[in-house]
Amino acid sequence: MRSQLVRKPGNTYHHGDLRDALIKAALREAEQGGAEAISIKALAKQLGVSQPAPYRHFADRDALLTAVTAEAFRQLSALLREAMAKPSKQSKLSRLAQAMLDFGLRRNGIYRLMFASRTVSCAAKGSELHDATRETFALVIEALEAPAVGFLRERQALKIWAALHGVVMLAEQGLFTGEAAHATREELVEDFVNETKVALAAAIRDARRRKKVGA
């Protein structure tokens, strides 16, 4: 009797492929419902693998969330780099800020996974997630297009980072419409950009003046 070839089902993953597939599938779930929507059991069923299979790549749900959040930050960094590299009359900071606002409003589930869960705060220094967040923040500093004088750039970068986060979260909660200030979210963000650049330039001038006087 001729033996029959046994075909592997189309959703069988080779070693290493399942990890990437889990991250991609988890990102799709987070798009709809943030971190709360991610379930290893549901992802295993969705991908057609046994329930223990994901645990060969992730020790637990927290480990999966860490990897997914790191990938989300890498995607955001790629988007911000692209925005900063585009030829434009706008400053790099303006392009980065508007791209950040668009990302937060358009991909709010992912944004909440990144900025409204405890995944990042629990990440160890030097971890994949820690490095990914540092890379994104470094782009904010780069977008300031200013010389390094003490930690003035970092301080202003943190301020506009916090301001952008505030606009996105208020908009997501329906608490910011712009009607009270007669301004759109985009216009408010541009105000932050201009104020940040002016404040940083003034702080650098003052620091250099004080250094010159003390020399």
Side-chain angles (χ1 to χ4, degrees):
M1 185 175 179
R2 184 180 296 178
S3 61
Q4 293 182 340
L5 292 175
V6 178
R7 295 182 178 275
K8 291 183 178 181
N11 56 5
T12 297
Y13 294 91
H14 298 290
H15 178 71
D17 293 344
L18 179 56
R19 185 181 191 279
D20 292 339
L22 284 164
I23 291 173
K24 289 177 182 177
L27 278 170
R28 289 194 296 270
E29 293 302 309
E31 288 273 11
Q32 304 302 318
E36 299 82 5
I38 298 176
S39 159
I40 289 184
K41 181 178 179 180
L43 291 174
K45 184 176 181 180
Q46 181 185 133
L47 295 173
V49 298
S50 65
Q51 289 188 23
Y55 293 98
R56 297 171 193 160
H57 303 279
F58 301 105
D60 51 29
R61 182 175 179 272
D62 287 341
L64 172 60
L65 285 177
T66 297
V68 172
T69 307
E71 176 57 25
F73 270 100
R74 285 191 290 267
Q75 289 184 11
L76 174 58
S77 291
L79 185 149
L80 297 180
R81 280 195 205 91
E82 182 181 352
M84 290 164 63
K86 286 181 178 178
S88 173
K89 293 181 179 179
Q90 291 180 307
S91 67
K92 280 188 177 181
L93 184 60
S94 177
R95 281 174 274 160
L96 176 140
Q98 295 296 344
M100 183 79 176
L101 175 65
D102 178 70
F103 180 92
L105 297 177
R106 183 170 47 84
R107 304 188 66 188
N108 196 259
I110 296 293
Y111 188 89
R112 282 188 283 112
L113 168 68
M114 298 163 68
F115 294 99
S117 72
R118 293 190 55 80
T119 306
V120 173
S121 64
C122 293
K125 287 187 177 181
S127 66
E128 175 189 22
L129 176 53
H130 179 261
D131 290 345
T133 60
R134 300 278 290 186
E135 181 183 356
T136 303
F137 187 66
L139 290 173
V140 183
I141 297 172
E142 179 186 336
L144 288 168
E145 299 182 278
V149 179
F151 293 96
L152 295 177
R153 292 185 310 177
E154 288 77 4
R155 186 165 185 168
Q156 290 300 326
L158 192 57
K159 284 182 179 180
I160 194 166
W161 180 261
L164 288 169
H165 176 67
V167 173
V168 172
M169 295 306 291
L170 285 173
E172 196 270 337
Q173 295 295 328
L175 297 173
F176 176 80
T177 62
E179 292 177 1
H182 296 280
T184 66
R185 292 174 296 223
E186 290 75 17
E187 288 170 342
L188 185 62
V189 165
E190 199 60 28
D191 285 347
F192 290 146
V193 168
N194 294 330
E195 289 164 7
T196 296
K197 291 177 74 69
V198 169
L200 180 56
I204 290 174
R205 284 196 304 271
D206 185 56
R208 286 175 171 171
R209 180 185 57 78
R210 284 188 280 106
K211 184 177 180 181
K212 188 175 180 180
V213 170

